[in-house]
Amino acid sequence: MVMVARWEARADLVVLGSGVAGLTAALRAQRLGLRVLVVTKAAVGDGNTRWAQGGVAVVLEGEHDAGDSVDRHIADTLTAGVGLCDEDAVAAIIAGGPAAVARLRGLGARFDARDGLLARTREGGHSAFRVIHAGGDATGAEVERALVDTAGARGLPVLERHIAVDTLRTPLGAVAGVTVLDPDGVPGVLRAPAVLIATGGLGQLYQATSNPEVATGDGLALALRAGALAADVEFVQFHPTVLYVPGARGRCPLVTEAVRGEGAVLVDGAGAPVMRGVHPLGDLAPRDVVSAAITRRMAAAPGGVDDHVFLDATGIAGFATRFPTVHAACRAAGVDPVRDPIPVAPAAHFACGGVATDTAGRTEVRGLYAAGEVARTGLHGANRLASNSLLEGLVVGERAAEAVAADLATGLLADPRHGRAPERGLAGVVERDALQRVMIRYAAIGRDAEGLAVAGSVLALSTVDTPLWTHEAIEDAALTLVAGALLTAAARRTESRGCHVRTDFPERDDPGWRRSQLVRLSPSGHPVLADPVLLEGAA
């Protein structure tokens, strides 16, 4: 039942994913003289990047609030990450932001301007107006447009509607390419001494998410199967405000945090402010704080409403011009945000953890790199600061390409002719609808030991060995594997920190848990903790 390749291609670097991190890396690698091949499982512009509304968080020379600085941006990021950020990684990535934005603008990206300078807004967790945006609330779409247009102009080779199945490995364990399925399910082999995973997040683990249908955790699963470590996978950020539509499933329209940055207020079903007395920043508190507060308020069912709250943006002048994407989504759902409060609820939004890498995208597996949301560089810690994700993709995507070029030049990478596909024809799969229902019920906001155990049991009892012969089977196998990794880490972390909220351990435990957890696959292919676990009660 092992898949037999029917076609083959070669490159110096295979990039999996065509979002901000993947295309930034691919374009940089191409300019460095590498033969690059981009693989994306939808159309080149269909990834998660284009759905990013808020903007890029960056402190630009001569275009920032009085008193704002790169150091203040770093401090805000560390505060949002609640003790789990890698301080050196935070400093390096944020310091690289201005140059990365300048390069992006050089590729033709157009950001909104005001009085001759770039317009800036403020989002949750930021102490200053430092988020630059495009098209009002369509920043990701503009970033993706500029990158896709540049890729086309430069003749960057892209395999659309292809999905990666597994890495090729040498006898010494180095990555030397990937196996893929083409749009018709025909298997092929891409041989390359370097593979960069830039496949985005895992929002489709949950019933409600801001992520598109392609966000199925493929890259994280691929990396784990290749022998890489993952870190901080228990920290999944739920965006506080996606548009609530009764019975909606899958991707829900995002109501960008910038709406609150412009003065909108969260209120419950009885009209009472949700964030009053919860946090000094009120409606602009970090996302984990706001999402948890909304969840608590919904549980109390004020005014008889227990599945959403409202975002009152009726006081924002020119709403339709400033937030055209949000305005259009609301009107499509029968809501007029100019006159009526917008019904909203939290939904899975961003994976703070992922494949463990350095700030140049290197993993511990030779030849394997990762960048963007799929990677855990140490920037986000236990909770991502708003609008740091596009910044990370721009900075680390560029550095990953440079790392690949350097590693190739110094002879560190393997000869792809020695790469072999693993002899695994089957993978465990849980039916997607059942998986999503279990994860939203037991592993979203507010987890406890009993619920996590139930979720683990459901996965164990429902998993069916399935051949990876279709795109759907590959995605469902990835979701199943990633769910197991998340549940393993969440069950072990007996505290509440950032976007990991344990109702049975509601307090933060710095002496015992101010550290990240590492996850790997056991020889039998199951997620297990790879880091030493402190003895209970030990410092």
Side-chain angles (χ1 to χ4, degrees):
M1 299 182 70
V2 177
M3 183 172 60
V4 177
R6 300 184 191 174
W7 56 276
E8 185 171 309
R10 295 175 180 264
D12 296 319
L13 169 64
V14 171
V15 176
L16 305 179
S18 58
V20 59
L23 288 182
T24 296
L27 290 169
R28 177 59 176 153
Q30 186 187 54
R31 288 186 68 87
L32 290 171
L34 304 187
R35 294 175 303 150
V36 183
L37 182 58
V38 176
V39 178
T40 183
K41 64 179 184 177
V44 66
D46 282 348
N48 209 17
T49 292
R50 71 187 180 105
W51 298 105
Q53 292 181 354
V56 182
V58 63
V59 179
L60 299 174
E61 183 70 27
E63 298 191 58
H64 57 76
D65 283 6
D68 196 17
S69 65
V70 169
D71 285 344
R72 276 185 62 182
H73 187 181
I74 291 170
D76 289 346
T77 300
L78 295 175
T79 297
V82 203
L84 291 194
C85 296
D86 180 318
E87 294 191 17
D88 291 339
V90 172
I93 293 171
I94 290 178
V101 168
R103 288 190 293 269
L104 181 64
R105 296 178 74 186
L107 297 181
R110 297 183 292 269
F111 289 91
D112 298 337
R114 183 183 300 133
D115 300 327
L117 300 174
L118 291 183
R120 303 185 308 278
T121 191
R122 181 181 169 201
E123 295 185 313
H126 287 277
S127 61
F129 284 74
R130 64 168 72 100
V131 178
I132 63 173
H133 48 81
D137 57 0
T139 309
E142 174 59 15
V143 170
E144 186 74 358
R145 181 206 62 77
L147 292 170
V148 170
D149 286 355
T150 303
R154 295 183 182 175
L156 183 70
V158 179
L159 293 179
E160 293 184 309
R161 296 178 176 83
H162 287 62
I163 189 169
V165 182
D166 233 325
T167 56
L168 304 179
R169 304 286 298 280
T170 70
L172 295 179
V175 164
V178 290
T179 57
V180 299
L181 294 183
D182 75 4
D184 298 317
V186 178
V189 167
L190 306 178
R191 294 191 180 275
V195 173
L196 171 66
I197 301 173
T199 51
L202 43 78
Q204 293 296 326
L205 271 181
Y206 297 93
Q207 278 184 324
T209 177
S210 64
N211 294 187
E213 295 299 319
V214 295
T216 52
D218 307 358
L220 177 53
L222 189 84
L224 285 168
R225 291 196 297 264
L229 291 170
D232 294 337
V233 292
E234 65 267 43
F235 297 104
V236 178
Q237 184 184 81
F238 276 64
H239 197 287
T241 53
V242 299
L243 183 64
Y244 170 80
V245 178
R249 297 286 298 277
R251 197 192 76 81
C252 303
L254 186 68
V255 180
T256 173
E257 200 153 17
V259 176
R260 281 175 282 138
E262 300 288 341
V265 177
L266 287 161
V267 296
D268 62 25
V274 172
M275 295 304 297
R276 179 180 293 166
V278 174
H279 191 278
L281 291 175
D283 287 274
L284 288 175
R287 288 175 175 173
D288 61 313
V289 176
V290 181
S291 292
I294 291 173
T295 301
R296 290 193 299 269
R297 192 62 65 92
M298 290 190 303
V305 180
D306 64 357
D307 53 3
H308 65 282
V309 294
F310 298 90
L311 184 63
D312 187 351
T314 55
I316 298 177
F319 185 94
T321 301
R322 173 64 181 87
F323 301 108
T325 306
V326 174
H327 185 264
C330 289
R331 292 312 302 261
V335 176
D336 182 357
V338 175
R339 299 182 178 181
D340 305 310
I342 304 167
V344 295
H349 185 55
F350 191 87
C352 297
V355 185
T357 74
D358 62 14
T359 56
R362 291 185 179 94
T363 74
E364 65 167 13
V365 177
R366 187 158 54 113
L368 185 67
Y369 306 77
E373 187 175 353
V374 72
R376 184 272 186 190
T377 59
L379 175 64
H380 306 302
N383 188 38
R384 176 180 67 106
L385 182 67
S387 288
N388 268 354
S389 50
L390 290 177
L391 173 75
E392 182 182 38
L394 291 167
V395 173
V396 181
E398 183 103 0
R399 293 183 180 185
E402 293 168 355
V404 170
D407 293 348
L408 272 171
T410 53
L412 293 178
L413 303 184
D415 185 337
R417 292 176 299 180
H418 299 152
R420 298 289 182 269
E423 294 184 2
R424 61 167 78 94
L426 301 173
V429 168
V430 175
E431 191 272 325
R432 188 179 303 195
D433 183 67
L435 179 69
Q436 291 175 334
R437 284 189 280 109
V438 165
M439 293 300 288
I440 200 71
R441 173 65 180 84
Y442 297 113
I445 301 171
R447 308 161 174 173
D448 60 30
E450 181 180 0
L452 292 168
V454 169
S457 296
V458 170
L459 260 64
L461 295 172
S462 304
T463 299
V464 176
D465 287 338
T466 304
L468 300 184
W469 292 347
T470 67
H471 288 224
E472 182 181 12
I474 294 166
E475 290 184 335
D476 288 348
L479 287 170
T480 301
L481 180 58
V482 169
L486 189 157
L487 293 172
T488 297
R492 176 66 72 175
R493 184 173 289 278
T494 51
E495 64 155 358
S496 290
R497 181 185 299 269
C499 48
H500 169 72
V501 178
R502 286 285 297 261
T503 56
D504 49 350
F505 293 95
E507 302 301 322
R508 196 168 85 200
D509 177 11
D510 279 345
W513 281 108
R514 190 171 178 175
R515 58 187 176 86
S516 293
Q517 296 187 98
L518 299 174
V519 176
R520 61 172 174 80
L521 293 192
S522 69
S524 62
H526 295 97
V528 295
L529 293 173
D531 58 316
V533 178
L534 297 180
L535 294 176
E536 194 169 323

Short mmCIF file of all heavy atoms in Angstrom, two decimals, residues 377-423:
data_model
loop_
_atom_site.label_atom_id
_atom_site.label_comp_id
_atom_site.label_asym_id
_atom_site.label_seq_id
_atom_site.Cartn_x
_atom_site.Cartn_y
_atom_site.Cartn_z
N THR A 377 9.24 30.19 16.75
CA THR A 377 10.54 30.86 16.87
C THR A 377 10.82 31.33 18.29
O THR A 377 11.96 31.64 18.63
CB THR A 377 10.61 32.09 15.96
OG1 THR A 377 9.56 32.99 16.34
CG2 THR A 377 10.43 31.71 14.50
N GLY A 378 9.78 31.44 19.10
CA GLY A 378 9.90 32.05 20.42
C GLY A 378 9.36 33.46 20.47
O GLY A 378 9.37 34.10 21.52
N LEU A 379 8.85 33.97 19.34
CA LEU A 379 8.31 35.33 19.31
C LEU A 379 7.02 35.44 20.11
O LEU A 379 6.80 36.42 20.81
CB LEU A 379 8.06 35.76 17.86
CG LEU A 379 7.37 37.12 17.67
CD1 LEU A 379 8.24 38.26 18.19
CD2 LEU A 379 7.03 37.36 16.20
N HIS A 380 6.14 34.44 20.02
CA HIS A 380 4.79 34.60 20.55
C HIS A 380 4.62 34.09 21.97
O HIS A 380 3.73 34.56 22.68
CB HIS A 380 3.80 33.88 19.63
CG HIS A 380 3.89 34.31 18.21
ND1 HIS A 380 3.73 35.61 17.82
CD2 HIS A 380 4.17 33.60 17.08
CE1 HIS A 380 3.89 35.70 16.50
NE2 HIS A 380 4.16 34.49 16.03
N GLY A 381 5.40 33.11 22.40
CA GLY A 381 5.23 32.59 23.74
C GLY A 381 3.85 31.99 23.94
O GLY A 381 3.36 31.22 23.12
N ALA A 382 3.20 32.36 25.04
CA ALA A 382 1.90 31.79 25.39
C ALA A 382 0.73 32.53 24.77
O ALA A 382 -0.41 32.10 24.92
CB ALA A 382 1.74 31.77 26.91
N ASN A 383 1.00 33.62 24.06
CA ASN A 383 -0.08 34.38 23.43
C ASN A 383 0.51 35.41 22.49
O ASN A 383 1.37 36.19 22.87
CB ASN A 383 -0.93 35.09 24.49
CG ASN A 383 -2.17 35.73 23.90
OD1 ASN A 383 -2.80 35.18 23.00
ND2 ASN A 383 -2.53 36.90 24.39
N ARG A 384 0.07 35.41 21.25
CA ARG A 384 0.62 36.32 20.24
C ARG A 384 0.10 37.74 20.43
O ARG A 384 -1.10 37.96 20.61
CB ARG A 384 0.24 35.83 18.84
CG ARG A 384 0.68 36.77 17.72
CD ARG A 384 0.26 36.23 16.38
NE ARG A 384 -1.19 36.22 16.21
CZ ARG A 384 -1.86 37.07 15.45
NH1 ARG A 384 -1.23 38.03 14.80
NH2 ARG A 384 -3.17 36.97 15.33
N LEU A 385 1.01 38.70 20.33
CA LEU A 385 0.61 40.10 20.29
C LEU A 385 0.04 40.41 18.90
O LEU A 385 0.61 40.01 17.88
CB LEU A 385 1.81 41.00 20.57
CG LEU A 385 1.53 42.51 20.61
CD1 LEU A 385 0.64 42.87 21.80
CD2 LEU A 385 2.84 43.29 20.68
N ALA A 386 -1.07 41.12 18.87
CA ALA A 386 -1.77 41.39 17.61
C ALA A 386 -0.83 41.97 16.55
O ALA A 386 0.02 42.82 16.84
CB ALA A 386 -2.91 42.38 17.88
N SER A 387 -0.99 41.48 15.32
CA SER A 387 -0.28 41.98 14.14
C SER A 387 1.23 41.74 14.15
O SER A 387 1.95 42.31 13.35
CB SER A 387 -0.58 43.47 13.90
OG SER A 387 -1.90 43.62 13.43
N ASN A 388 1.68 40.85 15.05
CA ASN A 388 3.08 40.42 14.98
C ASN A 388 3.29 39.28 13.98
O ASN A 388 4.43 38.92 13.67
CB ASN A 388 3.58 39.95 16.36
CG ASN A 388 4.22 41.07 17.16
OD1 ASN A 388 4.41 42.18 16.66
ND2 ASN A 388 4.57 40.78 18.40
N SER A 389 2.20 38.69 13.47
CA SER A 389 2.35 37.51 12.62
C SER A 389 2.84 37.85 11.22
O SER A 389 3.74 37.18 10.70
CB SER A 389 1.03 36.74 12.56
OG SER A 389 -0.04 37.61 12.25
N LEU A 390 2.25 38.86 10.57
CA LEU A 390 2.77 39.26 9.26
C LEU A 390 4.22 39.72 9.38
O LEU A 390 5.04 39.43 8.51
CB LEU A 390 1.89 40.37 8.66
CG LEU A 390 0.49 39.97 8.22
CD1 LEU A 390 -0.28 41.19 7.71
CD2 LEU A 390 0.53 38.90 7.15
N LEU A 391 4.52 40.42 10.45
CA LEU A 391 5.90 40.86 10.70
C LEU A 391 6.83 39.66 10.76
O LEU A 391 7.88 39.63 10.10
CB LEU A 391 5.95 41.63 12.01
CG LEU A 391 7.35 42.02 12.51
CD1 LEU A 391 7.90 43.16 11.68
CD2 LEU A 391 7.30 42.39 13.98
N GLU A 392 6.45 38.62 11.52
CA GLU A 392 7.29 37.44 11.65
C GLU A 392 7.48 36.75 10.31
O GLU A 392 8.60 36.32 9.97
CB GLU A 392 6.67 36.46 12.65
CG GLU A 392 7.52 35.22 12.88
CD GLU A 392 6.86 34.23 13.83
OE1 GLU A 392 5.62 34.08 13.75
OE2 GLU A 392 7.58 33.61 14.62
N GLY A 393 6.42 36.64 9.52
CA GLY A 393 6.54 35.99 8.22
C GLY A 393 7.50 36.72 7.31
O GLY A 393 8.31 36.09 6.60
N LEU A 394 7.46 38.04 7.32
CA LEU A 394 8.36 38.84 6.49
C LEU A 394 9.81 38.69 6.92
O LEU A 394 10.71 38.49 6.10
CB LEU A 394 7.95 40.31 6.54
CG LEU A 394 6.63 40.69 5.88
CD1 LEU A 394 6.21 42.09 6.27
CD2 LEU A 394 6.73 40.57 4.35
N VAL A 395 10.04 38.78 8.22
CA VAL A 395 11.42 38.76 8.73
C VAL A 395 12.02 37.36 8.65
O VAL A 395 13.12 37.17 8.11
CB VAL A 395 11.47 39.29 10.18
CG1 VAL A 395 12.87 39.11 10.78
CG2 VAL A 395 11.06 40.76 10.23
N VAL A 396 11.31 36.37 9.17
CA VAL A 396 11.88 35.02 9.23
C VAL A 396 11.88 34.37 7.85
O VAL A 396 12.79 33.58 7.53
CB VAL A 396 11.13 34.15 10.25
CG1 VAL A 396 11.73 32.75 10.32
CG2 VAL A 396 11.19 34.80 11.63
N GLY A 397 10.91 34.70 7.00
CA GLY A 397 10.94 34.18 5.64
C GLY A 397 12.21 34.58 4.92
O GLY A 397 12.88 33.75 4.27
N GLU A 398 12.58 35.83 5.04
CA GLU A 398 13.82 36.32 4.43
C GLU A 398 15.04 35.62 5.02
O GLU A 398 15.94 35.16 4.30
CB GLU A 398 13.92 37.83 4.66
CG GLU A 398 15.11 38.48 4.03
CD GLU A 398 14.79 39.24 2.76
OE1 GLU A 398 13.61 39.26 2.36
OE2 GLU A 398 15.71 39.80 2.17
N ARG A 399 15.08 35.50 6.33
CA ARG A 399 16.24 34.89 6.99
C ARG A 399 16.34 33.40 6.70
O ARG A 399 17.44 32.86 6.63
CB ARG A 399 16.17 35.15 8.49
CG ARG A 399 16.31 36.62 8.84
CD ARG A 399 16.31 36.87 10.32
NE ARG A 399 16.46 38.29 10.60
CZ ARG A 399 16.58 38.81 11.81
NH1 ARG A 399 16.54 38.01 12.87
NH2 ARG A 399 16.73 40.11 11.97
N ALA A 400 15.21 32.73 6.55
CA ALA A 400 15.24 31.31 6.25
C ALA A 400 15.87 31.07 4.88
O ALA A 400 16.66 30.12 4.70
CB ALA A 400 13.84 30.72 6.30
N ALA A 401 15.52 31.90 3.91
CA ALA A 401 16.13 31.76 2.58
C ALA A 401 17.64 31.96 2.66
O ALA A 401 18.41 31.21 2.03
CB ALA A 401 15.51 32.78 1.63
N GLU A 402 18.06 32.92 3.44
CA GLU A 402 19.50 33.17 3.58
C GLU A 402 20.18 32.03 4.31
O GLU A 402 21.33 31.67 4.00
CB GLU A 402 19.71 34.50 4.31
CG GLU A 402 19.25 35.70 3.47
CD GLU A 402 19.16 36.99 4.27
OE1 GLU A 402 19.38 36.95 5.51
OE2 GLU A 402 18.87 38.04 3.66
N ALA A 403 19.48 31.41 5.27
CA ALA A 403 20.04 30.26 5.98
C ALA A 403 20.22 29.07 5.04
O ALA A 403 21.25 28.38 5.07
CB ALA A 403 19.13 29.87 7.15
N VAL A 404 19.23 28.84 4.18
CA VAL A 404 19.35 27.74 3.21
C VAL A 404 20.53 27.98 2.28
O VAL A 404 21.34 27.07 2.03
CB VAL A 404 18.05 27.60 2.40
CG1 VAL A 404 18.24 26.62 1.24
CG2 VAL A 404 16.90 27.12 3.29
N ALA A 405 20.66 29.19 1.78
CA ALA A 405 21.76 29.51 0.87
C ALA A 405 23.11 29.30 1.55
O ALA A 405 24.05 28.74 0.96
CB ALA A 405 21.63 30.94 0.36
N ALA A 406 23.21 29.74 2.81
CA ALA A 406 24.46 29.58 3.55
C ALA A 406 24.76 28.11 3.81
O ALA A 406 25.91 27.65 3.66
CB ALA A 406 24.39 30.35 4.87
N ASP A 407 23.75 27.33 4.18
CA ASP A 407 23.96 25.92 4.48
C ASP A 407 24.33 25.13 3.21
O ASP A 407 25.15 24.20 3.26
CB ASP A 407 22.70 25.33 5.12
CG ASP A 407 22.43 25.89 6.51
OD1 ASP A 407 23.33 26.57 7.06
OD2 ASP A 407 21.32 25.68 7.03
N LEU A 408 23.75 25.53 2.10
CA LEU A 408 24.13 24.91 0.82
C LEU A 408 25.58 25.23 0.48
O LEU A 408 26.35 24.35 0.08
CB LEU A 408 23.21 25.39 -0.29
CG LEU A 408 21.91 24.64 -0.54
CD1 LEU A 408 21.03 25.40 -1.52
CD2 LEU A 408 22.18 23.24 -1.05
N ALA A 409 25.94 26.50 0.63
CA ALA A 409 27.28 26.94 0.25
C ALA A 409 28.37 26.28 1.08
O ALA A 409 29.48 26.05 0.60
CB ALA A 409 27.37 28.47 0.36
N THR A 410 28.06 25.98 2.33
CA THR A 410 29.06 25.38 3.22
C THR A 410 29.00 23.86 3.22
O THR A 410 29.71 23.21 4.00
CB THR A 410 28.90 25.91 4.66
OG1 THR A 410 27.53 25.73 5.08
CG2 THR A 410 29.24 27.39 4.73
N GLY A 411 28.15 23.29 2.38
CA GLY A 411 28.10 21.84 2.25
C GLY A 411 27.46 21.10 3.39
O GLY A 411 27.71 19.91 3.60
N LEU A 412 26.57 21.77 4.13
CA LEU A 412 25.94 21.14 5.29
C LEU A 412 24.75 20.25 4.93
O LEU A 412 24.34 19.42 5.74
CB LEU A 412 25.47 22.21 6.28
CG LEU A 412 26.56 23.02 6.98
CD1 LEU A 412 25.93 24.08 7.88
CD2 LEU A 412 27.48 22.12 7.80
N LEU A 413 24.21 20.44 3.74
CA LEU A 413 22.98 19.74 3.39
C LEU A 413 23.26 18.45 2.62
O LEU A 413 24.33 18.26 2.05
CB LEU A 413 22.06 20.66 2.59
CG LEU A 413 21.70 21.97 3.30
CD1 LEU A 413 20.73 22.78 2.47
CD2 LEU A 413 21.14 21.71 4.68
N ALA A 414 22.28 17.58 2.62
CA ALA A 414 22.45 16.24 2.05
C ALA A 414 22.28 16.25 0.53
O ALA A 414 21.66 17.15 -0.05
CB ALA A 414 21.44 15.28 2.68
N ASP A 415 22.82 15.22 -0.09
CA ASP A 415 22.62 15.00 -1.52
C ASP A 415 21.22 14.43 -1.71
O ASP A 415 20.90 13.35 -1.20
CB ASP A 415 23.66 14.00 -2.04
CG ASP A 415 23.60 13.81 -3.55
OD1 ASP A 415 22.54 14.07 -4.14
OD2 ASP A 415 24.61 13.37 -4.12
N PRO A 416 20.34 15.14 -2.43
CA PRO A 416 18.95 14.68 -2.54
C PRO A 416 18.80 13.34 -3.26
O PRO A 416 17.75 12.70 -3.15
CB PRO A 416 18.26 15.81 -3.31
CG PRO A 416 19.36 16.57 -3.98
CD PRO A 416 20.55 16.44 -3.09
N ARG A 417 19.83 12.91 -3.97
CA ARG A 417 19.75 11.61 -4.63
C ARG A 417 19.65 10.47 -3.62
O ARG A 417 19.20 9.37 -3.95
CB ARG A 417 20.97 11.40 -5.53
CG ARG A 417 21.02 12.32 -6.74
CD ARG A 417 22.30 12.12 -7.53
NE ARG A 417 23.47 12.44 -6.71
CZ ARG A 417 24.74 12.35 -7.15
NH1 ARG A 417 24.98 11.93 -8.38
NH2 ARG A 417 25.75 12.67 -6.35
N HIS A 418 20.05 10.74 -2.37
CA HIS A 418 20.03 9.70 -1.35
C HIS A 418 18.72 9.68 -0.56
O HIS A 418 18.57 8.87 0.35
CB HIS A 418 21.21 9.90 -0.39
CG HIS A 418 22.55 9.80 -1.06
ND1 HIS A 418 23.67 10.46 -0.59
CD2 HIS A 418 22.93 9.15 -2.18
CE1 HIS A 418 24.69 10.19 -1.39
NE2 HIS A 418 24.27 9.40 -2.37
N GLY A 419 17.80 10.58 -0.88
CA GLY A 419 16.54 10.65 -0.14
C GLY A 419 15.59 9.53 -0.52
O GLY A 419 15.46 9.17 -1.69
N ARG A 420 14.95 8.98 0.49
CA ARG A 420 13.97 7.91 0.28
C ARG A 420 12.68 8.25 1.02
O ARG A 420 12.72 8.79 2.13
CB ARG A 420 14.51 6.56 0.79
CG ARG A 420 15.77 6.08 0.07
CD ARG A 420 15.45 5.66 -1.37
NE ARG A 420 16.64 5.16 -2.05
CZ ARG A 420 17.47 5.92 -2.76
NH1 ARG A 420 17.25 7.23 -2.87
NH2 ARG A 420 18.52 5.39 -3.37
N ALA A 421 11.57 7.89 0.41
CA ALA A 421 10.28 8.08 1.09
C ALA A 421 10.10 7.01 2.15
O ALA A 421 10.55 5.87 1.97
CB ALA A 421 9.14 8.00 0.08
N PRO A 422 9.47 7.34 3.28
CA PRO A 422 9.24 6.34 4.32
C PRO A 422 8.27 5.26 3.84
O PRO A 422 7.39 5.52 3.02
CB PRO A 422 8.64 7.16 5.46
CG PRO A 422 8.02 8.33 4.80
CD PRO A 422 8.89 8.65 3.62
N GLU A 423 8.45 4.08 4.37
CA GLU A 423 7.57 2.98 3.98
C GLU A 423 6.35 2.93 4.89
O GLU A 423 6.13 1.98 5.63
CB GLU A 423 8.34 1.66 4.03
CG GLU A 423 9.46 1.59 3.00
CD GLU A 423 10.14 0.23 2.99
OE1 GLU A 423 9.71 -0.65 3.77
OE2 GLU A 423 11.11 0.06 2.23
#
